[in-house]
Amino acid sequence: YTWSITAGGLPAGLSLDAASGEISGTPTAYGTSNFTVRVTDSHGTPFTDTSAFSIVVLPADLDITTLALPDGQVGVAYSETLAATGGAVPYTWSIDSGSLPTGLSLDSASGEISGTPTAYGTANFTVNVTDSYAPPAETTMAFSITVIPEDLVITTAALPDGIIDTAYSQNLSATGGATPLTWSIVSGSLPAGLSLNSSTGAVTGTTTAPGTSNFTVEVTDSWTPANSDTLALSIYVSPIDLEITTTSLPTGAIGVAYSQPVVAVGGVEPYSWSVIAGTLPAGLSLDLATGVISGTPSALGVSAFTIRVLDSFVPQDGDTQILSIEIVADN
C-alpha cells in the first residue's frame, strides 16, 4: 500500500511513512491536529480509501524549575522571577500556603516576586503554578525567603561633656540590625564613675575625675550570624568652676604674727596663688602654693590688693578676688 495525507496535517514533529503507514516522531507543540489519510493499493487499476483522523498532543508535564530564592534585605528592593516548563502558556502563579515576606508580592502573570522587604526573618510559603490548558495542569513547590536586617549602624555622632561630681546620662543609639542589641566598650574606657548599660546603650553615673576619656563602643545585634558596628567616641569631663570663697580677711595688729588662708573651691588642685594688683601689708607675704597670707605686720593702715588663683587643669581655670587687710596698733 501507499499512504498519504490528503487534507489537514499531522502534529508538528510527526510524519507518515508512505510505505508502512507508520506515524512517528516527537511532537513539538501541543494541540489537536485533524487530517485525512488516504491509502492506495498496487492493483493495475488502483483502489483507494480515505479516513479522517485526529491526534491530540498534550502539553509536557508542568514543572517549576526554580529551585531556591535568594535572600533579601530590609529596605532594599527585591526582584526574582519564578520559572516553569511544560504545560500550556500563559501560566497563572499564586501563593498556595504560607506568605511572602512583608513588603513583597507575587505577580500572578509573570511569576515575579518583587517589592521592598520591611521586616527581617524567614518566610516559608508554597507556590502554585497553573497552565492554560483544558483541563488545566498545575504543580506546587515549597520555597523560603530569608530577609536579613538592614545594616546595623551606630547613629550617635558625639556625646556631650560632663561636669565632675555631677550626674550624667546619655543614650547611645543605632539603626538596623535585629533586636535586641548588645552594647560594649571594646577599647579605651569611660570617664571614672560612668558605666555603659549593655542592653539599653545608656551611659550613666556620676563623674569623679576631670579630663577627656577616649573609647570605642561596639553594638552587636541578635541575628545569626551577628551584625555589628563600632564607633570611636570621647567624653570631656570639666571641673567645677574655680572660685575664691574668701570674701574678707580679719584685721591684723602691728608686731603680732598673722596667718590667714585665702580659700578656693572647684577647679583641679594643686592651685597656684598670686597678688596681681595692690600690695599686702608690710611684713606679710602670700604662700603661692597654699594661699596662706602670713607674717608679722610692721606698719599701720589698710592695704587693698587683688588675689588670683589658677588651677592645674588644661585648659586652666582661674578666679580673682579683691581683698583688704587693716593693720592696727597692738593694744
Side-chain angles (χ1 to χ4, degrees), residues 32-48:
T32 300
S33 296
N34 300 296
F35 54 94
T36 300
V37 172
R38 180 173 67 185
V39 62
T40 303
D41 72 359
S42 55
H43 192 266
T45 302
F47 292 95
T48 63

Side-chain angles (χ1 to χ4, degrees), residues 129-170:
V129 62
T130 303
D131 74 356
S132 54
Y133 201 70
E138 64 178 325
T139 188
T140 60
M141 182 174 284
F143 290 96
S144 66
I145 296 177
T146 296
V147 177
I148 63 176
E150 61 184 321
D151 293 337
L152 181 60
V153 178
I154 297 173
T155 55
T156 300
L159 290 169
D161 296 344
I163 300 175
I164 192 171
D165 297 327
T166 302
Y168 185 94
S169 179
Q170 187 70 25

Side-chain angles (χ1 to χ4, degrees), residues 109-126:
S110 67
E112 181 187 17
I113 296 173
S114 62
T116 300
T118 58
Y120 57 82
T122 298
N124 299 295
F125 53 95
T126 300

Side-chain angles (χ1 to χ4, degrees), residues 99-324:
S99 60
L100 293 170
T102 306
L104 300 188
S105 61
L106 171 64
D107 187 298
S108 62
S110 67
E112 181 187 17
I113 296 173
S114 62
T116 300
T118 58
Y120 57 82
T122 298
N124 299 295
F125 53 95
T126 300
V127 169
N128 175 282
V129 62
T130 303
D131 74 356
S132 54
Y133 201 70
E138 64 178 325
T139 188
T140 60
M141 182 174 284
F143 290 96
S144 66
I145 296 177
T146 296
V147 177
I148 63 176
E150 61 184 321
D151 293 337
L152 181 60
V153 178
I154 297 173
T155 55
T156 300
L159 290 169
D161 296 344
I163 300 175
I164 192 171
D165 297 327
T166 302
Y168 185 94
S169 179
Q170 187 70 25
N171 285 328
L172 297 168
S173 59
T175 58
T179 55
L181 304 178
T182 301
W183 296 86
S184 61
I185 303 293
V186 293
S187 67
S189 60
L190 292 171
L194 301 188
S195 62
L196 171 64
N197 187 305
S198 62
S199 297
T200 65
V203 177
T204 59
T206 300
T207 57
T208 59
T212 299
S213 295
N214 299 296
F215 53 93
T216 299
V217 295
E218 180 180 61
V219 62
T220 303
D221 73 355
S222 54
W223 191 252
T224 302
N227 302 296
S228 64
D229 189 33
T230 59
L231 183 66
L233 294 168
S234 65
I235 296 176
Y236 169 75
V237 177
S238 63
I240 297 172
D241 288 340
L242 181 59
E243 180 184 4
I244 296 174
T245 57
T246 300
T247 58
S248 63
L249 291 168
T251 299
I254 194 167
V256 178
Y258 184 95
S259 180
Q260 186 68 31
V262 179
V263 179
V265 295
V268 175
E269 296 186 74
Y271 302 143
S272 58
W273 298 84
S274 61
V275 175
I276 61 171
T279 57
L280 295 173
L284 301 188
S285 63
L286 171 68
D287 189 307
L288 304 184
T290 65
V292 173
I293 296 173
S294 62
T296 301
S298 58
L300 298 173
V302 176
S303 297
F305 50 90
T306 300
I307 291 279
R308 180 173 69 183
V309 63
L310 297 175
D311 73 355
S312 55
F313 196 66
V314 178
Q316 199 170 46
D317 192 12
D319 190 31
T320 59
Q321 181 72 274
I322 297 174
L323 296 169
S324 65

Side-chain angles (χ1 to χ4, degrees), residues 4-11 23 33-37 51-55:
S4 62
I5 302 296
T6 60
L10 294 171
I23 297 173
S33 296
N34 300 296
F35 54 94
T36 300
V37 172
S51 186
F53 293 94
S54 65
I55 296 176

Side-chain angles (χ1 to χ4, degrees), residues 69-73 76-80 104 112-117 145:
L69 292 168
D71 294 346
Q73 186 175 20
V76 178
Y78 184 95
S79 177
E80 190 71 19
L104 300 188
E112 181 187 17
I113 296 173
S114 62
T116 300
I145 296 177

